[in-house]
Structure formats: C-alpha cells, structure tokens
Amino acid sequence: MKTRLAILILVVLLALLPAYAGKYALYVAIHILLLSIFSLGFNLLFGYTGLLSFGQAGFYAVGAYGCAKILLAYPSLLVGIVGGVVIAGAVSLLLGFLCIRHTRIYFSMLTLSFGMMIFSLAWKWRDVTGGDDGLVGIPRAPLEIPGLFKINMAPMENYYYVVLAFAILAIYLFYRIVHSPMGLTMQGIRDSETRSVCIGISVRKYRLLSFTIAGMYAGLAGALLPPLESTVTPPLAHWSHSAEPVLATLLGGVYSFSGPIVGSVLFYLLKDIIVRFTEYWQMCLGIIVVVLVMGFRGGVVSIFSRKGGQR
Amino acid sequence: MSGSKKISRRELLKAATVAGIGGMTLGLSKVGEAASPKEKPPAQTKSTKKILGVDVIKLGGQGVISGAHADYGWQIQAGAVLAIDEINAKGGILGSKLELKFMDEELKPAVAVKNARYLATDWGAHLLFGVDSSGSAMAVGPILPELDRICMFDHASTHRLTEELVYGKGIKQIFRIAAPVYQESNLAALIFKDFPNIKRWAGIHCDYEYGYSVWALFKDTLKKYRPDVEFVSIAWAPFWTMDFSSHISAVMAAKPDGIIATPWAGEGVMLLRQALMLGVFDNIQAWFQCMGASVDILEGISNEVAAGKFKDKLWATARYIHNYPDTPENNKFVASFRKRWNRFPNYSAENAYSTIYVFKAALEKCRSLKTSDLIKAMEGLKIMTPAGERFFRPEDHQAIYNVPGGRVVKDPNYPIPVLGDLKVFPAQAYYRNPPFEPLAMAK
C-alpha cells in the first residue's frame, strides 16, 4: 500500500513538473526517463537473465535512426516511435539468435562486436545515415491519430508528456514481465541453467526472448530521442554509450526492480551537475561512482531494503 | 548493536543517500525555479542604467577540453578569456560586463546539444560560441531557432553548416568565424596548380566527412586548372588512428609526386613522424598537411623541422597562422596571448578571441540583445581582427577572410616552426560562393 502511494505521488509530481520547472529541467527529465527505459531493458538481460551485454547502444541507435528516417519521410510521431521500436526489435531478434548461443564473457564480447558493427554501419553508410554528421533537421512531428486527434509537439512540455506516458507504460509492462511466469523462468535460468534444462525449459528460447525485449526497450529509448534533439549521430551506437545503462544499473541495484531507474536518476544528475563546475568532471564522476559502488554493494536501492542485496 | 545509540553503517548510508538525492533534486528544482516562469529570460540582473538592460552579458562557450584533442578547446577558452578580460578592463560593452561559462563538448554531438540547451535555457547565456566538431555543429545548428540564440562557430569546418543549414534551410542564428574546408582543399589546389612537375597526387584522409569533403574539393579544383594531374591513390584513416604505416605504404606504392593529408591534432603529428621514418620525404616532391600550421602540430614536429628532416617539402595551412598578417592587430594579439598563456595562439584561439570582438561590434551596432537585432547587425559586418579583415557574408553567414598556405620552416624569431614562402590568394578565389550546388563526395 505504502509503495503504491509513493508511486502515485511520484507520478503526480512528474505530471506536474512542467508547471514548476523550466525548459532545461524538462529536458533533463526527458533524458533521465530515456536512460531509465534503456537501463530497465538492459537489466532484463543482466539482472533477470544473467547475460551482460555491452552492445545495447547498437539497438538504441537502430531505434533512433529508424524513427529519424520515418519522421523525415512521414512526419507522424507515433509512426516514428513505433516504427523505431519495431525495427530495433527485428534487429535484436536477428542478432540475438547469434548471440544467445554463448554465455558469460563470450556473450559479452559478441554483443560488444555487434554493437560496434552497428556503429560502423552508422558511420560508413553515408547515403542512409548521413555518416559522421548524422541525420539533421528531424521534425518533432505532431502526435496524431487521423480522424481522432492531433497534438502539436513543438512545445517541450507536450513532448515531455509523450515521453512520460511511454516511460510509465514501459515500466508497467516491465513489472508485468518480470513478475510473470516468463520473468520467473528467466530468473530461474539466471540462477541455474542446468536445473532449468533438467525441468524442460528451453533456455535458448527464453534468452532470445529476453534479448529481443531488451533490444526493444533500447529501441524505444532511442526512438524517443530524435524528436527531442532533431538529430541522430553515430556515437549513439558506440560502446561507451552502452556503458551508461551498465553503470546506472550497478549504481541503482542489479537485483531490484527500481534499481536501474534510481541509478539512471543518480548517474544523469551526477554527471550533469559536476560537468557544470569543472573540466575534470570525468575524474570526479569516476571517484563518486567508485565510492557509491563500493559503499552500496547491491546498489543504492539495496540500502533501503531490510537486508542488503535483497532482490 | 540493537538498543545501542550508535548509528549503524546501514542507517548512515541510508541518511547520506536521502540527503544526496534530496540535494540533487533541490538542485534540479532550483533549475526550474531559476527558469520560472517556464523559461529563463536571458537577462537576469536588470539595470535601468545599462543601455543593453543588463549588468552582465553572459557568453556560453563550448569546445573539447578532455581527451586527445583537448588542446583545441583549451585554445578556444584561452582566446575568449583574453578578449573578455580586455573588454571588461575597458568597462565592458555599452557599460555591461562580460561573463563566460565554458563547457566540455567531448566531441559528442549529443553533449554539444545538451550544453547549448543548458547554457541558453538554464544558465541564461545571451550568446553562444565555440564547438570543435563538425558533427556537433550540425547537431547544435538546428536547435538554435528553438533556443532563440546566436551561435558563432569557431572551429567546426564542414561546408554543410553554412551551405545547407544557413543558405539552404535558412537557420539565421548560425554564424561561422572560422574558414571552412575550402581553406585546406581549394587553397591547396591553387598553390599546387603552379607546380608543373607534381602530376601524381595521393591522399591520406580522415575517414569521415571532413576527409571526404577536402579530398573531393581538392580534386575538383585542381583538375579545373591542371587537367594533366592524376589522383593515383587514397587511404582513409578512421578517427583515433595512431599507426599510419599501412596508409603510408598503400599510397607510396602508387608512386605519387605529392600527398595531401587531413589527420589533425595528435594524429597529424603521428602521421608526419611515421612518414619520416618510412622515408617518404625522399621520394615525393611535396606533402600538404591541411591543418599542419596549427600550433599543436608545429610544436609536435619542431625538432624534425629544425633538423631539416622534411627537406622543405612540407606545406601546410590553418584557419589562422600566428605569423600572418603582419599588422598591429595581429602583433598585439600574439604578444598579449603569449604574455597571458606563455604559448602561441592557434586558430581556435584567434577565432574565439575575434568572436568576442564581433559580438562587441554587433552589440554596439544594434544596441540590443535581441537575437533578431543581432542577426541583422552581424549580417554583412566588416571587422578588423588579428587574422585580417573579416566580412560576414549575408547569404550563408560565413566569415570571409584569407589565410595563406606555405612551407613549414624554422624561423630564428620564433621558438616553434612557422609558415614561410607564403602563398596568399584572395579568399573570394578559393571560397565556394552562393548559389551552392551540393558537393558530390564519393569515397
């Protein structure tokens, strides 16, 4: 009951944010929501299925480029976002088929390689991706269902509500997934692959499912980016971008539902605040992350559990 | 521990976390408060006495100040600080002092956009400037109308910024003070058209937009003057390449007379040193290092130049060189810069220094901080700067000024190499001019 009340208050506060926050705060809030979606998807693979991926930024970029290309050709926000997610899902299904045959470091290296292949593709396939300059002038198209409604997305506040709605939907779906038999099966595979096989679970099928859903979450986060920034560039697919959900999840807590979300808030705000004051922000951020990771074994969220590291 | 008054580690961490998150949330809400209502107006501290209506004119700058290319951002910052201090010492602009906030662009377009948004909508910058990477410039440009701010680009050199975004799409908030890629491509062609013995050209180029556009423009322009030249080999080097031996071997296999190369910063230094080790300068007649007259590269190859290892075959240019022009403005700037920072200014520094004086001239001309007024004031503006007279072409907001190319030589008057045997061409002769046709850039 307490948790539900806290969630309700949080949602109300987020819904009221445009009333008391400026444009930059809204911009930061949108980025935190995107990182939260990105990290949640990553944690389905890592925290719930036991597969550490270093290539999630590749799917993020596929979603972003997919949405951008659609919006440039057909300016409809919903079509762009849904299209970006579908394309990212298809690519993650394809690459997942190749990656989930391996586990541990081999899986991580495969995902890293495929992620960097997507980065190279974005960099080199200039006719489609615009090369290193990327795609520019992507419109923040109206939210429209022909015959029903059409909402102008030019004001940042309107777009914030779209992102918030998608984020709430994504978090709710994630909750349902991880608490469903499918989610519990994934956790079973994480804890003991051998036992899972012995009771007749198709481990590869569930791993592929987890990989594809994680790719779609990354794709959703990516697809929500181009209407905000009006541009997409290859660094979105770079491995250093893949490290962001890893860090956010480790900060927040791998084995807790809200860990990636709390970690995303912490990670983004820490960087945003430090970078304003010093050119040595990387060193400062590094020290803080080390202290947080060492001080909060199991993530920041675990400190609020009765037992540290409780799932 | 139960019943004890001592605070457990868990409780301590819990309290610290709550305090930390609370602090950050307050910080974020402060962002909101400061921006209230909804968006912070550029002017924060109103004053009835000031002509511009503010005590402080806020300048938001950004460049790469971390990583291997950090010197370029440092130079932008150093040039801007020098100009701001000079102007503030004389009372500011129309009675308003200047204040600078400079941020790290990290050579990442997403970061550059975030910085621009923060500087304009949260910190309250009236004017923006800087940006090192072309990709970042192409990302920042389109959001300027939404931010309602002018940005003066000090380094990013892609022709697309001014040709496509300003001339093509009409984004009037974009201005560029630095010479674009015309400088190292078309100027090189004009220089080498007069070398009849150099007929076979090869290229070692950055494997991104910058390298593609330089190579395409160089070939097009040179072929117009010299139909007899051949382009015999090309090697593309990805960003962060540190071993160029395979690229050098590949182009040398085609036995070129001349090589034109775009890798810049530390990559440029590595390329030149490796070319020396492989004996390239014994077998070619000329090597044109596009941004080779940048101070960081000149410092990096100083010993080799002093020892004559390049055999007077190394040519270069930049978007400004510290030994040209020999004018009071340039001599004063170089002396002040050296006194303040104990280094020579590179083009990023001069571009940033001049940016601040362009802002000053525009503000004094229109006596307003409104973006639309400033755009009018800057279009067609002519101003004397250390690099010479600059003219902001109204059609594409590109500053027109000429920078020579020349041989990299040792001069007893300078502790680092300079450009000698200068080849000066009027800027109009080597800049692309409107109406612009899209540039075909096949690799």
Side-chain angles (χ1 to χ4, degrees), chain B residues 258-278:
Chain B
I259 292 174
I260 176 170
T262 42
W264 53 291
E267 290 177 30
V269 175
M270 292 298 288
L271 171 63
L272 288 169
R273 285 184 178 162
Q274 287 166 16
L276 279 176
M277 282 193 292
L278 293 170

Side-chain angles (χ1 to χ4, degrees), chain B residues 245-295:
Chain B
S245 52
S246 61
H247 304 83
I248 295 168
S249 301
V251 298
M252 288 308 290
K255 302 193 183 312
D257 301 322
I259 292 174
I260 176 170
T262 42
W264 53 291
E267 290 177 30
V269 175
M270 292 298 288
L271 171 63
L272 288 169
R273 285 184 178 162
Q274 287 166 16
L276 279 176
M277 282 193 292
L278 293 170
V280 170
F281 286 84
D282 296 326
N283 297 301
I284 58 167
Q285 296 177 47
W287 177 300
F288 189 81
Q289 187 67 33
C290 289
M291 285 294 112
S294 180
V295 164

Side-chain angles (χ1 to χ4, degrees), chain B residues 38-316:
Chain B
K38 302 277 173 96
E39 186 183 2
K40 173 180 281 188
Q44 284 188 41
T45 45
K46 298 243 174 194
S47 166
T48 49
K49 291 175 188 171
K50 301 288 188 289
I51 293 167
L52 294 171
V54 293
D55 289 325
V56 174
I57 300 165
K58 292 188 161 193
L59 305 174
Q62 60 173 315
V64 52
I65 49 175
S66 61
H69 299 81
D71 195 47
Y72 286 78
W74 180 87
Q75 291 268 3
I76 291 180
Q77 202 173 359
V81 167
L82 184 64
I84 288 168
D85 287 354
E86 285 177 6
I87 292 168
N88 281 343
K90 291 177 184 169
I93 300 174
L94 299 174
S96 302
K97 291 288 176 87
L98 301 180
E99 184 184 341
L100 172 69
K101 187 164 188 71
F102 200 85
M103 300 186 76
D104 189 0
E105 172 208 325
E106 302 175 43
L107 290 179
K108 291 179 183 167
V111 174
V113 168
K114 181 171 167 289
N115 287 347
R117 286 189 183 277
Y118 166 71
L119 289 167
T121 62
D122 190 67
W123 186 65
H126 298 93
L127 294 152
L128 304 173
F129 72 97
V131 186
D132 276 300
S133 124
S134 289
S136 296
M138 291 298 287
V140 169
I143 64 161
L144 293 174
E146 182 189 335
L147 299 179
D148 192 26
R149 297 290 189 282
I150 279 175
C151 183
M152 179 73 81
F153 291 89
D154 288 335
H155 184 188
S157 63
T158 176
H159 62 290
R160 293 177 61 198
L161 181 71
T162 42
E163 292 186 12
E164 279 181 30
L165 297 189
V166 184
Y167 184 77
K169 296 192 172 176
I171 302 175
K172 297 286 185 185
Q173 291 81 359
I174 296 170
F175 284 83
R176 175 160 53 198
I177 198 161
V181 287
Y182 318 143
Q183 180 66 39
E184 53 267 54
S185 52
N186 292 342
L187 180 84
L190 292 187
I191 292 172
F192 289 106
K193 70 179 172 47
D194 297 327
F195 286 69
N197 293 332
I198 304 180
K199 292 180 179 172
R200 294 168 63 81
W201 277 95
I204 298 176
H205 288 297
C206 302
D207 194 4
Y208 44 91
E209 187 81 14
Y210 173 50
Y212 309 147
S213 52
V214 168
W215 183 232
L217 283 165
F218 175 72
K219 286 193 298 183
D220 279 0
T221 310
L222 188 56
K223 203 75 181 171
K224 278 178 198 159
Y225 293 99
R226 289 279 306 279
D228 62 318
V229 295
E230 287 179 82
F231 302 98
V232 293
S233 182
I234 173 70
W236 300 104
F239 214 22
W240 308 116
T241 298
M242 281 293 133
D243 179 4
F244 290 94
S245 52
S246 61
H247 304 83
I248 295 168
S249 301
V251 298
M252 288 308 290
K255 302 193 183 312
D257 301 322
I259 292 174
I260 176 170
T262 42
W264 53 291
E267 290 177 30
V269 175
M270 292 298 288
L271 171 63
L272 288 169
R273 285 184 178 162
Q274 287 166 16
L276 279 176
M277 282 193 292
L278 293 170
V280 170
F281 286 84
D282 296 326
N283 297 301
I284 58 167
Q285 296 177 47
W287 177 300
F288 189 81
Q289 187 67 33
C290 289
M291 285 294 112
S294 180
V295 164
D296 59 324
I297 292 194
L298 294 176
E299 287 172 343
I301 57 171
S302 188
N303 291 338
E304 289 82 353
V305 175
K309 291 185 178 177
F310 293 107
K311 304 175 190 298
D312 282 341
K313 294 176 181 177
L314 179 60
W315 293 72

Side-chain angles (χ1 to χ4, degrees), chain B residues 6-24:
Chain B
K6 281 184 184 174
I7 300 169
S8 71
R9 177 176 160 274
R10 178 161 300 279
E11 283 166 342
L12 185 69
L13 288 173
K14 195 187 280 189
T17 311
V18 171
I21 293 174
M24 279 196 282

